[in-house]
Amino acid sequence: MSVKIPIYMDYQSTTPVDPRVLEAMLPYFTEVFGHPASRNHSFGWDAEQAVDVAREQVAKLIGATAKEVIFTSGGTEAINLAIRGVAEMYGEKGRHMVVAVTDSRPVHDVVKRLVREHQYEVTEVPVDKEGRVSADAVKAALRPDTILISVMMANNEIGTVQDMVAIGKVAKEAGVLLFSDATEAVGKVPVDVQEMGIDLLAVTAHKMYGPKGVGALYVRRRNPRVRLSAQIDGGGHERGMRSGTLNVPGVVGMGKAAELCMQEMPEESARMGVLRDHLENGILAGLDEVQVNGSREHRLPHNLNISFAYVEGESMLMGLKEIALASGSACTTATLEPSYVIRALGVSEELAHSSLRFSIGRFTTEEEVEYVIGRVVETIQRLREMSPLYEMAKEGVDLSQVQWSAH
Amino acid sequence: MAYSDQVLDHYNNPRNMGSFGKDEEGVGTGIVGAPECGDVMKLQVKINEDGIIEDARFKTFGCGSAIASSSLATEWLKGRTVDEAMAIKNTDIVEELNLPPVKIHCSVLAEDAIKAAVGDYVKKSGKESASGGSGAA
Ligand SMILES: Cc1ncc(COP(=O)(O)O)c(C=O)c1O
């Protein structure tokens, strides 16, 4: 079996640019280099036309109209613009937001600043053990002064996909704006802002085989018309919501990436699902005491998050160094806490430290999956031989009853 | 994170990995750390009648640096007296393994494990060491 080392299984972190996307982008660096806001010459018109096409391509992928798409520098900026923009525009109406506990780090950080500096209050909606937010729980968290609900469409760690249609209904009934960080979902699963009742939606190009540093915010124009306070002032580009000369090659790339995802989604997601299930089944067949985190039913087709009891995440990554993976272990992040997403499922801290995220993608092969199964099984077995916890568990010790020395 | 060659070497070729029977003659066992913190070390020493550590074993749940710290500790323990073992400092481990600041707690845990293992032996054998030591967790 010949596989090329290293193997990339971290597609939820970022994806390579699809060669077809790159090809579409290249002319916009040199030949068609005009400023899309230059209205007086063909250089500008050509650039503007390319941006219009891209806007249409992105809009189509999410069931929106082109005018509702605001290009940004990426997902993080789109999230900042959505939440801060709403807070500044609607702060008079109320200062309460409802956020799903498993929402992304940028969402929580933006909201935390509003709480700290602008007297906002936030209610975090819990998730069930599969990571799903219930529409009823969202409804229960609403207050008369709630101005925004934020529920991420699909989680970056566990891949759990939310029931946005049900949550959207609750938002509509209450007349509260609904924002969704859909950076992990768009291009992978069908997204329709109309059907889902979403008012604001963040997308990034680099998770769907487009370039890094470009993203978009969908801003609803009808029923209701959402207004935002701009976060970057300047030339009044992007309907005054986001000033700054557009990254035209990036925008073109994002558009092309969106078009390809749209065309290939049915086939691609089916292929991802087969490969992912093979990976999951292979690992589960080779090892005992492993658990899949998140929902197996409502899950992105390219995501697999597993906790391997009695072994720590960073040591696993070290043993699997030729495979690019992510871990929920505290040792692999800047913080001292293990993944808050996995903790929110009710999974113990110990098992959160023991989690690995495999995310496959467009260029993953069956051979790579086979290779990874073998290496994962072998590495976990070796580390378990080395683990005092595994030894104790095999001796019948109930680890939850042991008096550990905290440190 | 980039690992030092020393950490990689211990991770790839752990020294003295395994266990002695807890009730074996002359064995002291120390278990330190907690699963929810992401590291647990089990260190064991086998001490002969002359008070010399003849052999040592470890098992560790934790990151590569934690594994390396405990593996190194077993190497250093062999041949030492109880008092010499108690004198091993976490800073010696940091230096030998070239641990970055975020991994210093791994060396602290290894020092704790040494003290706990030797302390357990001292307690069980009824012998007092000059520097004393805490019992196993
Ligand atoms: C869920 C989620 N939200 C937001 C982002 C940020 O997007 P970007 O890297 O384009 O700023 C990411 C990816 O990094 C993500 O996974």
Side-chain angles (χ1 to χ4, degrees):
Chain A
M1 194 165 60
S2 71
V3 291
K4 245 181 76 198
I5 300 295
I7 291 173
Y8 191 73
M9 282 213 178
D10 205 12
Y11 278 83
Q12 278 187 276
S13 167
T14 192
T15 58
V17 170
D18 188 298
R20 295 168 291 179
V21 168
L22 178 64
E23 199 186 333
M25 290 171 68
L26 285 177
Y28 294 90
F29 286 98
T30 49
E31 293 155 44
V32 194
F33 62 87
H35 194 304
S38 295
R39 291 277 155 78
N40 323 316
H41 49 66
S42 65
F43 295 87
W45 301 332
D46 290 348
E48 189 188 19
Q49 204 199 348
V51 169
D52 285 347
V53 170
R55 212 183 288 284
E56 192 69 51
Q57 288 164 323
V58 173
K60 218 167 168 181
L61 184 60
I62 58 173
T65 61
K67 281 189 173 159
E68 295 173 306
V69 173
I70 304 295
F71 285 112
T72 65
S73 66
T76 304
E77 190 195 326
I79 291 165
N80 274 262
L81 174 57
I83 301 177
R84 299 176 64 86
V86 164
E88 280 177 30
M89 188 57 77
Y90 298 91
E92 297 290 297
K93 270 180 70 181
R95 299 210 163 201
H96 178 248
M97 292 185 178
V98 170
V99 178
V101 65
T102 52
D103 258 42
S104 67
R105 188 63 203 283
V107 169
H108 283 296
D109 278 4
V110 172
V111 172
K112 262 188 224 151
R113 183 188 289 274
L114 292 173
V115 168
R116 210 166 52 230
E117 297 177 3
H118 301 280
Q119 296 83 47
Y120 272 81
E121 288 177 44
V122 59
T123 301
E124 289 195 354
V125 182
V127 293
D128 64 16
K129 61 184 197 317
E130 298 197 332
R132 296 261 283 175
V133 174
S134 87
D136 287 342
V138 171
K139 194 171 183 172
L142 294 175
R143 306 195 320 207
D145 59 341
T146 307
I147 58 166
L148 186 70
I149 298 167
S150 171
V151 176
M152 84 194 304
M153 193 174 295
N155 188 267
N156 46 315
E157 294 185 40
I158 52 178
T160 299
V161 179
Q162 302 297 345
D163 184 355
M164 295 310 298
V165 173
I167 294 164
K169 277 207 185 87
V170 166
K172 280 283 158 297
E173 274 168 26
V176 176
L177 296 177
L178 174 60
F179 164 70
S180 187
D181 174 355
T183 48
E184 297 284 349
V186 170
K188 313 295 168 27
V189 291
V191 175
D192 186 327
V193 290
Q194 296 306 342
E195 193 189 314
M196 294 171 166
I198 292 171
D199 302 302
L200 294 145
L201 174 131
V203 198
T204 192
H206 76 90
K207 310 244 186 203
M208 53 177 190
Y209 309 95
K212 293 166 185 60
V214 55
L217 180 67
Y218 157 78
V219 185
R220 177 177 287 280
R221 266 167 65 95
R222 301 175 62 180
N223 305 316
R225 181 186 185 91
V226 178
R227 292 180 310 137
L228 288 182
S229 176
Q231 300 301 305
I232 299 178
D233 293 321
H237 312 102
E238 297 297 280
R239 293 174 40 233
M241 286 193 235
R242 200 277 187 181
S243 289
T245 305
L246 283 178
N247 166 8
V248 177
V251 164
V252 167
M254 182 170 190
K256 184 67 185 178
E259 184 189 69
L260 292 173
C261 284
M262 183 95 191
Q263 285 166 359
E264 297 176 3
M265 192 186 298
E267 201 185 316
E268 181 159 60
S269 66
R271 193 180 82 88
M272 291 299 99
V274 169
L275 281 182
R276 189 270 315 277
D277 290 348
H278 184 55
L279 180 63
E280 177 175 314
N281 294 335
I283 291 172
L284 296 191
L287 293 166
D288 61 347
E289 308 222 41
V290 294
Q291 81 176 42
V292 175
N293 296 314
S295 169
R296 281 165 115 158
E297 188 186 350
H298 306 284
R299 179 168 51 162
L300 291 172
H302 59 307
N303 165 282
L304 175 61
N305 190 304
I306 303 192
S307 284
F308 300 88
Y310 317 121
V311 283
E312 188 277 331
E314 188 188 323
S315 67
M316 291 190 265
L317 293 182
M318 205 169 159
L320 298 165
K321 61 180 183 305
E322 82 282 26
I323 306 164
L325 299 169
S327 166
S329 159
C331 285
T332 61
T333 63
T335 62
L336 289 170
E337 300 293 317
S339 159
Y340 68 92
V341 171
I342 295 176
R343 292 286 289 131
L345 307 177
V347 172
S348 71
E349 275 187 75
E350 177 201 339
L351 281 174
H353 280 294
S354 301
S355 68
L356 288 184
R357 179 190 71 184
F358 304 81
S359 48
I360 58 172
R362 190 170 284 172
F363 306 105
T364 303
T365 65
E366 215 177 301
E367 288 73 30
E368 287 177 331
V369 169
E370 280 300 330
Y371 175 88
V372 170
I373 292 170
R375 289 282 292 118
V376 166
V377 169
E378 163 192 298
T379 301
I380 304 306
Q381 280 170 345
R382 178 177 108 87
L383 289 169
R384 280 183 173 169
E385 277 302 301
M386 224 187 277
S387 167
L389 303 180
Y390 190 65
E391 180 181 70
M392 290 164 91
K394 288 289 148 192
E395 283 167 0
V397 175
D398 179 354
L399 294 175
S400 66
Q401 297 304 311
V402 175
Q403 278 272 308
W404 301 102
S405 65
H407 65 285
Chain B
M1 173 169 316
Y3 301 97
S4 68
D5 291 343
Q6 294 89 331
V7 169
L8 281 173
D9 182 39
H10 279 280
Y11 175 85
N12 290 320
N13 312 291
R15 327 285 201 266
N16 309 304
M17 199 270 288
S19 298
F20 298 128
K22 273 193 187 169
D23 303 323
E24 257 181 70
E25 188 78 29
V27 167
T29 301
I31 299 176
V32 296
E36 62 267 26
C37 301
D39 29 37
V40 173
M41 283 181 193
K42 183 180 96 168
L43 200 70
Q44 293 183 300
V45 289
K46 196 180 221 171
I47 299 180
N48 68 18
E49 279 148 22
D50 304 327
I52 306 286
I53 299 171
E54 273 185 339
D55 208 351
R57 290 282 184 275
F58 88 93
K59 280 202 176 194
T60 290
F61 161 83
C63 64
S65 302
I67 290 170
S69 295
S70 38
S71 169
L72 175 67
T74 60
E75 267 194 325
W76 279 358
L77 284 170
K78 285 200 221 177
R80 293 202 189 213
T81 65
V82 165
D83 287 347
E84 284 165 354
M86 288 298 203
I88 295 174
K89 290 270 162 297
N90 83 292
T91 47
D92 304 334
I93 296 171
V94 171
E95 202 171 309
E96 174 69 20
L97 294 178
N98 229 326
L99 295 180
V102 292
K103 294 298 182 188
I104 287 176
H105 72 275
C106 298
S107 69
V108 173
L109 205 59
E111 183 186 323
D112 290 350
I114 293 171
K115 295 214 155 66
V118 174
D120 181 52
Y121 163 80
V122 169
K123 201 171 79 191
K124 281 203 289 204
S125 63
K127 286 178 192 144
E128 272 308 311
S129 94
S131 43
S134 58

